[in-house]
Amino acid sequence: MEKNGGRVVSSVELAGKCRVKAHQVRKDLSYFGEFGIRGVGYYVKDLLREIKRILGLNKEWRMAVIGIGNLGSALLSYKDFLKQNYKIVAAFDIDPAKVIGRVSEKLGKPVEVLHISRVKEAVKERKIEIGLITTPASEAQNVANILVEAEVKGILNFAPAQITVPEGYVVKDAFFTTILDNLAYLLSST
Amino acid sequence: MEKNGGRVVSSVELAGKCRVKAHQVRKDLSYFGEFGIRGVGYYVKDLLREIKRILGLNKEWRMAVIGIGNLGSALLSYKDFLKQNYKIVAAFDIDPAKVIGRVSEKLGKPVEVLHISRVKEAVKERKIEIGLITTPASEAQNVANILVEAEVKGILNFAPAQITVPEGYVVKDAFFTTILDNLAYLLSST
Protein backbone atom coordinates (compact mmCIF):
# COMPACT_ATOMS: atom_id res chain seq x y z
CA MET A 1 0.00 0.00 0.00
CA GLU A 2 2.79 2.40 0.85
CA LYS A 3 4.54 1.59 -2.44
CA ASN A 4 1.30 2.20 -4.32
CA GLY A 5 0.96 5.61 -2.73
CA GLY A 6 -1.86 4.70 -0.35
CA ARG A 7 -2.24 7.24 2.46
CA VAL A 8 -5.08 5.79 4.50
CA VAL A 9 -6.48 2.30 4.99
CA SER A 10 -9.65 1.25 6.79
CA SER A 11 -9.97 -1.72 9.11
CA VAL A 12 -12.47 -3.17 6.62
CA GLU A 13 -9.87 -3.09 3.84
CA LEU A 14 -7.21 -4.59 6.09
CA ALA A 15 -9.62 -7.26 7.26
CA GLY A 16 -10.39 -8.22 3.68
CA LYS A 17 -6.72 -8.66 2.85
CA CYS A 18 -6.03 -10.65 6.02
CA ARG A 19 -9.21 -12.72 5.69
CA VAL A 20 -10.39 -11.84 9.20
CA LYS A 21 -13.21 -9.66 10.56
CA ALA A 22 -12.79 -5.86 10.68
CA HIS A 23 -13.60 -5.69 14.40
CA GLN A 24 -10.81 -8.21 15.00
CA VAL A 25 -8.31 -5.96 13.18
CA ARG A 26 -9.39 -2.98 15.29
CA LYS A 27 -9.30 -4.98 18.49
CA ASP A 28 -5.89 -6.55 17.80
CA LEU A 29 -4.27 -3.26 16.83
CA SER A 30 -5.79 -1.35 19.74
CA TYR A 31 -4.07 -3.81 22.03
CA PHE A 32 -0.75 -2.18 21.07
CA GLY A 33 -1.85 1.45 21.22
CA GLU A 34 -4.31 3.92 19.74
CA PHE A 35 -3.10 4.59 16.25
CA GLY A 36 -6.38 4.38 14.39
CA ILE A 37 -8.58 7.42 13.71
CA ARG A 38 -12.29 6.86 14.18
CA GLY A 39 -14.20 7.16 10.91
CA VAL A 40 -10.97 7.39 8.90
CA GLY A 41 -8.91 4.29 9.50
CA TYR A 42 -5.14 4.17 9.75
CA TYR A 43 -2.44 6.25 8.10
CA VAL A 44 -0.54 3.69 6.02
CA LYS A 45 2.91 5.04 6.83
CA ASP A 46 2.26 5.27 10.56
CA LEU A 47 0.60 1.87 10.68
CA LEU A 48 3.50 0.25 8.84
CA ARG A 49 5.97 1.76 11.27
CA GLU A 50 3.90 0.62 14.26
CA ILE A 51 3.48 -2.91 12.91
CA LYS A 52 7.21 -3.19 12.29
CA ARG A 53 7.83 -2.04 15.82
CA ILE A 54 5.29 -4.52 17.23
CA LEU A 55 6.81 -7.40 15.28
CA GLY A 56 10.36 -6.45 16.15
CA LEU A 57 11.18 -5.73 12.50
CA ASN A 58 12.15 -2.10 13.01
CA LYS A 59 15.71 -3.10 13.77
CA GLU A 60 18.47 -5.15 12.24
CA TRP A 61 18.83 -8.61 13.75
CA ARG A 62 22.43 -9.80 13.73
CA MET A 63 22.75 -13.54 13.36
CA ALA A 64 25.35 -16.30 13.44
CA VAL A 65 25.21 -19.64 11.64
CA ILE A 66 26.73 -22.58 13.48
CA GLY A 67 27.51 -25.64 11.36
CA ILE A 68 28.69 -24.94 7.82
CA GLY A 69 27.41 -28.00 5.95
CA ASN A 70 24.99 -27.85 3.02
CA LEU A 71 22.24 -26.06 4.90
CA GLY A 72 24.57 -23.66 6.70
CA SER A 73 26.20 -22.71 3.41
CA ALA A 74 22.80 -22.23 1.78
CA LEU A 75 21.74 -19.88 4.57
CA LEU A 76 24.97 -17.88 4.19
CA SER A 77 24.05 -17.17 0.60
CA TYR A 78 20.33 -16.58 1.17
CA LYS A 79 19.87 -13.08 -0.18
CA ASP A 80 16.34 -12.42 1.05
CA PHE A 81 17.54 -12.09 4.64
CA LEU A 82 18.67 -8.57 3.86
CA LYS A 83 15.24 -7.50 2.67
CA GLN A 84 13.89 -8.53 6.03
CA ASN A 85 16.36 -6.88 8.38
CA TYR A 86 18.20 -10.08 9.17
CA LYS A 87 21.92 -10.18 8.69
CA ILE A 88 24.36 -13.03 9.11
CA VAL A 89 27.48 -11.52 10.62
CA ALA A 90 29.34 -14.65 11.69
CA ALA A 91 29.69 -18.33 10.81
CA PHE A 92 31.18 -21.11 12.93
CA ASP A 93 32.26 -24.71 12.49
CA ILE A 94 34.29 -27.23 14.46
CA ASP A 95 36.10 -28.62 11.40
CA PRO A 96 39.47 -26.87 10.87
CA ALA A 97 39.20 -27.60 7.12
CA LYS A 98 36.07 -25.45 6.96
CA VAL A 99 37.46 -22.75 9.17
CA ILE A 100 40.59 -22.07 7.15
CA GLY A 101 39.87 -19.55 4.46
CA ARG A 102 36.33 -20.68 3.72
CA VAL A 103 34.01 -17.76 3.06
CA SER A 104 30.59 -17.24 1.60
CA GLU A 105 31.20 -15.94 -1.89
CA LYS A 106 27.68 -15.12 -2.95
CA LEU A 107 27.03 -12.37 -0.45
CA GLY A 108 28.32 -8.90 -1.13
CA LYS A 109 30.56 -9.00 1.89
CA PRO A 110 31.98 -12.47 2.57
CA VAL A 111 31.49 -14.02 6.00
CA GLU A 112 34.55 -15.88 7.20
CA VAL A 113 34.05 -19.15 9.06
CA LEU A 114 35.44 -19.09 12.60
CA HIS A 115 36.21 -21.99 14.90
CA ILE A 116 33.38 -22.78 17.32
CA SER A 117 35.65 -21.90 20.26
CA ARG A 118 35.40 -18.26 19.21
CA VAL A 119 31.61 -17.91 19.62
CA LYS A 120 31.65 -15.96 22.87
CA GLU A 121 34.22 -13.45 21.67
CA ALA A 122 32.49 -12.93 18.29
CA VAL A 123 29.02 -12.58 19.84
CA LYS A 124 30.28 -9.73 21.98
CA GLU A 125 32.24 -7.98 19.24
CA ARG A 126 29.56 -8.34 16.56
CA LYS A 127 26.48 -7.92 18.78
CA ILE A 128 24.90 -11.23 17.71
CA GLU A 129 21.37 -11.82 19.00
CA ILE A 130 20.19 -14.88 17.06
CA GLY A 131 21.98 -18.17 16.43
CA LEU A 132 20.99 -20.52 13.61
CA ILE A 133 21.92 -24.11 14.48
CA THR A 134 22.65 -26.14 11.35
CA THR A 135 24.74 -28.92 12.87
CA PRO A 136 23.83 -32.62 12.97
CA ALA A 137 21.19 -33.48 15.57
CA SER A 138 23.77 -34.98 17.92
CA GLU A 139 25.54 -31.61 18.29
CA ALA A 140 22.51 -29.33 18.52
CA GLN A 141 22.20 -29.19 22.31
CA ASN A 142 25.94 -28.64 22.77
CA VAL A 143 25.84 -25.75 20.36
CA ALA A 144 22.76 -24.35 22.10
CA ASN A 145 24.66 -24.47 25.40
CA ILE A 146 27.53 -22.54 23.82
CA LEU A 147 25.09 -19.93 22.50
CA VAL A 148 23.40 -19.63 25.89
CA GLU A 149 26.75 -19.19 27.58
CA ALA A 150 27.48 -16.38 25.12
CA GLU A 151 24.04 -14.90 26.01
CA VAL A 152 22.57 -15.27 22.52
CA LYS A 153 18.90 -14.96 23.44
CA GLY A 154 17.27 -16.39 20.30
CA ILE A 155 17.92 -19.72 18.60
CA LEU A 156 16.53 -21.00 15.32
CA ASN A 157 17.12 -24.75 15.37
CA PHE A 158 17.38 -26.49 11.99
CA ALA A 159 18.57 -29.77 13.52
CA PRO A 160 16.04 -32.58 14.03
CA ALA A 161 16.60 -32.56 17.78
CA GLN A 162 14.75 -31.09 20.76
CA ILE A 163 16.76 -28.35 22.40
CA THR A 164 16.22 -26.94 25.87
CA VAL A 165 17.38 -23.52 27.04
CA PRO A 166 17.05 -21.62 30.33
CA GLU A 167 14.28 -19.11 30.96
CA GLY A 168 14.75 -15.86 29.13
CA TYR A 169 16.01 -17.63 26.01
CA VAL A 170 13.82 -18.55 23.02
CA VAL A 171 14.17 -21.55 20.71
CA LYS A 172 12.13 -22.05 17.54
CA ASP A 173 12.35 -25.24 15.53
CA ALA A 174 12.85 -24.93 11.80
CA PHE A 175 13.20 -28.62 10.97
CA PHE A 176 10.01 -29.77 9.33
CA THR A 177 9.54 -33.12 11.07
CA THR A 178 9.75 -31.42 14.46
CA ILE A 179 7.08 -28.98 13.31
CA LEU A 180 5.06 -31.88 11.89
CA ASP A 181 5.14 -33.65 15.26
CA ASN A 182 3.77 -30.50 16.81
CA LEU A 183 1.02 -30.32 14.18
CA ALA A 184 0.10 -33.98 14.78
CA TYR A 185 -0.13 -33.27 18.51
CA LEU A 186 -2.45 -30.31 17.92
CA LEU A 187 -4.63 -32.36 15.57
CA SER A 188 -4.85 -35.20 18.11
CA SER A 189 -5.82 -32.96 20.96
CA THR A 190 -8.59 -31.02 19.22
CA MET B 1 15.60 -47.46 26.57
CA GLU B 2 13.16 -50.01 25.21
CA LYS B 3 15.69 -51.11 22.60
CA ASN B 4 18.36 -51.49 25.28
CA GLY B 5 16.06 -53.74 27.29
CA GLY B 6 15.20 -51.18 29.99
CA ARG B 7 12.08 -52.17 31.95
CA VAL B 8 11.69 -49.30 34.38
CA VAL B 9 12.77 -45.67 34.37
CA SER B 10 12.60 -43.13 37.21
CA SER B 11 11.51 -39.53 36.85
CA VAL B 12 15.04 -38.54 37.95
CA GLU B 13 16.56 -40.46 35.02
CA LEU B 14 14.04 -38.99 32.59
CA ALA B 15 14.64 -35.52 33.93
CA GLY B 16 18.39 -35.89 33.43
CA LYS B 17 17.93 -36.87 29.79
CA CYS B 18 15.45 -34.07 29.13
CA ARG B 19 17.47 -31.50 31.07
CA VAL B 20 14.53 -30.54 33.26
CA LYS B 21 13.69 -31.09 36.93
CA ALA B 22 12.32 -34.49 38.11
CA HIS B 23 9.26 -32.93 39.73
CA GLN B 24 8.47 -31.28 36.39
CA VAL B 25 8.56 -34.67 34.62
CA ARG B 26 6.19 -36.13 37.23
CA LYS B 27 3.88 -33.13 37.11
CA ASP B 28 3.75 -33.02 33.31
CA LEU B 29 3.09 -36.72 32.92
CA SER B 30 0.49 -36.81 35.70
CA TYR B 31 -1.45 -34.23 33.71
CA PHE B 32 -2.25 -36.97 31.18
CA GLY B 33 -3.05 -39.78 33.62
CA GLU B 34 -1.58 -41.80 36.45
CA PHE B 35 0.89 -44.12 34.84
CA GLY B 36 3.79 -43.75 37.25
CA ILE B 37 4.27 -46.05 40.24
CA ARG B 38 5.34 -44.32 43.43
CA GLY B 39 8.83 -45.38 44.52
CA VAL B 40 9.41 -47.30 41.28
CA GLY B 41 9.04 -44.94 38.35
CA TYR B 42 7.52 -45.78 34.99
CA TYR B 43 7.44 -49.01 33.02
CA VAL B 44 9.36 -48.14 29.86
CA LYS B 45 7.03 -49.97 27.48
CA ASP B 46 3.86 -48.48 29.00
CA LEU B 47 5.33 -45.00 29.18
CA LEU B 48 6.42 -45.14 25.55
CA ARG B 49 2.93 -46.17 24.48
CA GLU B 50 1.34 -43.41 26.56
CA ILE B 51 3.70 -40.74 25.25
CA LYS B 52 3.03 -41.81 21.67
CA ARG B 53 -0.68 -41.57 22.38
CA ILE B 54 -0.30 -38.14 23.99
CA LEU B 55 1.74 -36.82 21.08
CA GLY B 56 -0.58 -38.30 18.46
CA LEU B 57 2.16 -40.62 17.20
CA ASN B 58 0.31 -43.87 17.87
CA LYS B 59 -1.34 -43.69 14.49
CA GLU B 60 -0.37 -43.29 10.88
CA TRP B 61 -0.83 -39.76 9.55
CA ARG B 62 -1.76 -39.77 5.88
CA MET B 63 -0.47 -36.74 4.03
CA ALA B 64 -0.66 -35.04 0.64
CA VAL B 65 1.96 -32.80 -0.95
CA ILE B 66 0.62 -29.93 -3.05
CA GLY B 67 3.12 -28.35 -5.43
CA ILE B 68 5.65 -30.68 -7.01
CA GLY B 69 8.64 -28.41 -7.51
CA ASN B 70 12.07 -28.99 -5.97
CA LEU B 71 10.86 -29.01 -2.39
CA GLY B 72 7.74 -31.07 -3.10
CA SER B 73 9.82 -33.68 -4.92
CA ALA B 74 12.34 -33.78 -2.09
CA LEU B 75 9.55 -34.40 0.43
CA LEU B 76 8.17 -37.22 -1.73
CA SER B 77 11.48 -39.01 -1.45
CA TYR B 78 12.14 -38.23 2.20
CA LYS B 79 12.48 -41.70 3.69
CA ASP B 80 12.46 -40.79 7.38
CA PHE B 81 8.75 -39.98 7.25
CA LEU B 82 8.01 -43.68 7.46
CA LYS B 83 9.98 -44.12 10.66
CA GLN B 84 7.76 -41.51 12.21
CA ASN B 85 4.32 -42.72 11.21
CA TYR B 86 3.89 -40.13 8.50
CA LYS B 87 3.01 -41.30 5.03
CA ILE B 88 2.60 -39.34 1.83
CA VAL B 89 -0.30 -40.93 -0.01
CA ALA B 90 -1.00 -38.29 -2.65
CA ALA B 91 0.73 -35.54 -4.61
CA PHE B 92 -0.89 -32.70 -6.55
CA ASP B 93 0.16 -30.06 -9.02
CA ILE B 94 -1.57 -27.65 -11.37
CA ASP B 95 0.89 -28.15 -14.23
CA PRO B 96 -0.33 -30.85 -16.66
CA ALA B 97 3.30 -31.64 -17.56
CA LYS B 98 3.91 -32.69 -13.97
CA VAL B 99 0.67 -34.55 -13.64
CA ILE B 100 1.13 -36.86 -16.61
CA GLY B 101 3.02 -39.94 -15.56
CA ARG B 102 5.29 -38.23 -13.05
CA VAL B 103 5.88 -40.36 -9.98
CA SER B 104 8.25 -40.40 -7.06
CA GLU B 105 10.74 -43.11 -7.89
CA LYS B 106 12.72 -43.19 -4.69
CA LEU B 107 9.93 -44.41 -2.42
CA GLY B 108 9.09 -48.10 -2.35
CA LYS B 109 5.64 -47.44 -3.70
CA PRO B 110 5.53 -44.57 -6.19
CA VAL B 111 3.11 -41.72 -5.59
CA GLU B 112 1.47 -40.49 -8.77
CA VAL B 113 0.94 -36.77 -9.20
CA LEU B 114 -2.71 -35.81 -9.61
CA HIS B 115 -4.19 -32.58 -10.91
CA ILE B 116 -5.09 -30.11 -8.16
CA SER B 117 -8.76 -30.37 -9.16
CA ARG B 118 -8.80 -33.89 -7.75
CA VAL B 119 -7.91 -32.96 -4.14
CA LYS B 120 -11.39 -33.39 -2.67
CA GLU B 121 -11.95 -36.78 -4.22
CA ALA B 122 -8.48 -38.09 -3.27
CA VAL B 123 -8.72 -36.78 0.31
CA LYS B 124 -11.90 -38.77 0.81
CA GLU B 125 -10.65 -41.94 -0.86
CA ARG B 126 -7.22 -41.92 0.77
CA LYS B 127 -8.23 -40.52 4.16
CA ILE B 128 -5.77 -37.63 4.02
CA GLU B 129 -5.48 -35.60 7.24
CA ILE B 130 -2.45 -33.37 6.62
CA GLY B 131 -1.58 -31.26 3.59
CA LEU B 132 1.96 -30.05 2.90
CA ILE B 133 1.90 -26.83 0.86
CA THR B 134 5.01 -26.51 -1.30
CA THR B 135 3.71 -24.08 -3.91
CA PRO B 136 5.01 -20.55 -4.55
CA ALA B 137 3.89 -18.02 -1.94
CA SER B 138 1.32 -16.53 -4.30
CA GLU B 139 -0.62 -19.81 -4.45
CA ALA B 140 -0.40 -20.84 -0.81
CA GLN B 141 -3.70 -19.36 0.40
CA ASN B 142 -5.60 -20.74 -2.61
CA VAL B 143 -4.25 -24.20 -1.93
CA ALA B 144 -5.10 -23.84 1.75
CA ASN B 145 -8.68 -22.97 0.76
CA ILE B 146 -8.86 -26.10 -1.39
CA LEU B 147 -7.57 -28.21 1.52
CA VAL B 148 -10.06 -26.63 3.92
CA GLU B 149 -12.90 -27.30 1.49
CA ALA B 150 -11.77 -30.93 1.39
CA GLU B 151 -11.76 -30.90 5.22
CA VAL B 152 -8.04 -31.55 5.59
CA LYS B 153 -7.63 -30.41 9.19
CA GLY B 154 -3.86 -29.95 9.35
CA ILE B 155 -1.60 -27.90 7.08
CA LEU B 156 2.17 -27.69 7.08
CA ASN B 157 3.00 -24.56 5.10
CA PHE B 158 6.41 -24.46 3.40
CA ALA B 159 5.57 -21.34 1.38
CA PRO B 160 6.83 -17.95 2.63
CA ALA B 161 3.29 -16.64 3.01
CA GLN B 162 0.89 -16.21 5.91
CA ILE B 163 -2.09 -18.52 5.57
CA THR B 164 -5.37 -18.25 7.41
CA VAL B 165 -7.82 -21.07 8.00
CA PRO B 166 -11.18 -21.32 9.80
CA GLU B 167 -11.49 -22.47 13.40
CA GLY B 168 -10.97 -26.18 13.83
CA TYR B 169 -8.12 -26.21 11.31
CA VAL B 170 -4.43 -25.99 12.21
CA VAL B 171 -1.63 -24.39 10.20
CA LYS B 172 2.05 -24.63 11.09
CA ASP B 173 4.69 -22.72 9.18
CA ALA B 174 7.74 -24.61 8.00
CA PHE B 175 9.41 -21.82 6.05
CA PHE B 176 12.32 -20.53 8.04
CA THR B 177 11.90 -16.80 7.53
CA THR B 178 8.31 -17.02 8.80
CA ILE B 179 9.61 -18.83 11.87
CA LEU B 180 12.40 -16.28 12.18
CA ASP B 181 9.87 -13.41 12.18
CA ASN B 182 8.09 -15.16 15.00
CA LEU B 183 11.35 -15.56 16.91
CA ALA B 184 12.18 -11.88 16.40
CA TYR B 185 8.76 -10.95 17.76
CA LEU B 186 9.26 -13.11 20.85
CA LEU B 187 12.71 -11.62 21.43
CA SER B 188 11.33 -8.07 21.09
CA SER B 189 8.51 -8.64 23.50
CA THR B 190 10.50 -10.20 26.34
Side-chain angles (χ1 to χ4, degrees):
Chain A
M1 286 178 187
E2 195 193 32
K3 275 183 196 152
N4 296 336
R7 264 194 71 238
V8 173
V9 60
S10 69
S11 56
V12 175
E13 253 179 287
L14 283 173
K17 289 194 184 289
C18 302
R19 295 184 177 84
V20 294
K21 297 258 194 308
H23 73 86
Q24 191 68 49
V25 168
R26 291 191 295 270
K27 195 179 149 199
D28 286 359
L29 288 174
S30 71
Y31 177 81
F32 296 98
E34 290 195 17
F35 33 87
I37 299 133
R38 193 174 291 272
V40 177
Y42 305 88
Y43 289 109
V44 170
K45 206 177 148 184
D46 295 352
L47 183 60
L48 191 61
R49 191 190 56 236
E50 289 299 322
I51 289 175
K52 280 189 176 166
R53 180 186 58 78
I54 293 165
L55 298 179
L57 301 176
N58 58 338
K59 57 165 277 181
E60 185 182 79
W61 291 96
R62 298 169 67 81
M63 310 194 296
V65 178
I66 302 99
I68 310 303
N70 290 333
L71 179 59
S73 301
L75 290 174
L76 280 176
S77 45
Y78 184 70
K79 290 203 174 78
D80 281 2
F81 272 140
L82 296 168
K83 278 190 218 161
Q84 296 172 68
N85 293 355
Y86 299 107
K87 194 174 181 184
I88 295 173
V89 295
F92 301 94
D93 205 286
I94 200 164
D95 179 359
K98 284 182 181 160
V99 171
I100 298 167
R102 171 88 171 270
V103 292
S104 162
E105 298 130 22
K106 291 184 196 168
L107 281 178
K109 206 178 156 192
V111 177
E112 53 175 337
V113 179
L114 304 176
H115 191 265
I116 185 88
S117 60
R118 295 179 61 189
V119 166
K120 210 168 174 176
E121 153 205 348
V123 162
K124 213 174 165 182
E125 272 175 26
R126 303 183 191 184
K127 300 188 196 336
I128 293 163
E129 290 173 290
I130 295 176
L132 313 184
I133 299 182
T134 49
T135 61
S138 56
E139 298 308 315
Q141 183 66 54
N142 289 336
V143 168
N145 296 347
I146 290 169
L147 289 168
V148 166
E149 217 202 295
E151 292 181 51
V152 176
K153 289 285 160 67
I155 293 176
L156 190 60
N157 175 32
F158 288 87
Q162 290 290 352
I163 280 178
T164 56
V165 290
E167 237 183 278
Y169 291 78
V170 185
V171 178
K172 284 277 161 186
D173 288 310
F175 191 70
F176 72 95
T177 60
T178 317
I179 305 168
L180 194 51
D181 286 345
N182 190 228
L183 180 64
Y185 168 67
L186 293 171
L187 290 175
S188 306
S189 56
T190 50
Chain B
M1 286 178 187
E2 195 194 33
K3 275 184 197 152
N4 296 336
R7 265 192 73 235
V8 174
V9 60
S10 69
S11 56
V12 175
E13 254 180 286
L14 283 172
K17 289 194 185 289
C18 301
R19 294 185 178 85
V20 294
K21 296 257 195 307
H23 72 85
Q24 191 67 50
V25 168
R26 290 191 296 268
K27 196 179 150 199
D28 286 359
L29 288 173
S30 72
Y31 177 81
F32 296 98
E34 291 194 18
F35 33 89
I37 298 133
R38 192 174 292 272
V40 177
Y42 305 88
Y43 289 109
V44 169
K45 207 177 147 183
D46 295 352
L47 183 61
L48 191 63
R49 191 190 57 236
E50 290 298 323
I51 289 175
K52 281 190 175 166
R53 180 186 59 79
I54 294 164
L55 297 179
L57 301 176
N58 58 337
K59 57 165 278 182
E60 185 182 80
W61 291 96
R62 299 170 65 81
M63 310 194 297
V65 177
I66 302 99
I68 310 303
N70 289 334
L71 179 60
S73 301
L75 290 174
L76 280 176
S77 45
Y78 183 69
K79 289 202 175 80
D80 281 1
F81 272 141
L82 296 168
K83 278 190 218 160
Q84 296 171 69
N85 293 356
Y86 299 108
K87 195 175 179 182
I88 295 174
V89 296
F92 301 94
D93 205 286
I94 203 163
D95 179 359
K98 284 184 182 161
V99 172
I100 299 166
R102 171 87 172 270
V103 291
S104 161
E105 298 130 24
K106 289 184 198 169
L107 280 179
K109 207 178 154 190
V111 177
E112 54 175 338
V113 179
L114 305 175
H115 190 265
I116 186 88
S117 61
R118 295 179 61 191
V119 166
K120 210 169 174 175
E121 154 206 348
V123 162
K124 213 175 165 181
E125 272 176 24
R126 303 183 191 185
K127 302 188 196 332
I128 293 163
E129 291 172 290
I130 295 175
L132 313 185
I133 300 182
T134 49
T135 61
S138 57
E139 298 309 314
Q141 183 66 54
N142 289 336
V143 168
N145 296 347
I146 291 170
L147 288 169
V148 166
E149 217 202 296
E151 292 181 53
V152 175
K153 291 284 159 68
I155 292 176
L156 190 60
N157 175 31
F158 287 88
Q162 289 290 352
I163 279 179
T164 56
V165 291
E167 236 183 278
Y169 291 79
V170 185
V171 178
K172 283 277 159 184
D173 287 311
F175 191 70
F176 72 95
T177 60
T178 317
I179 305 169
L180 194 51
D181 287 345
N182 190 229
L183 180 64
Y185 168 66
L186 291 172
L187 289 175
S188 307
S189 56
T190 50

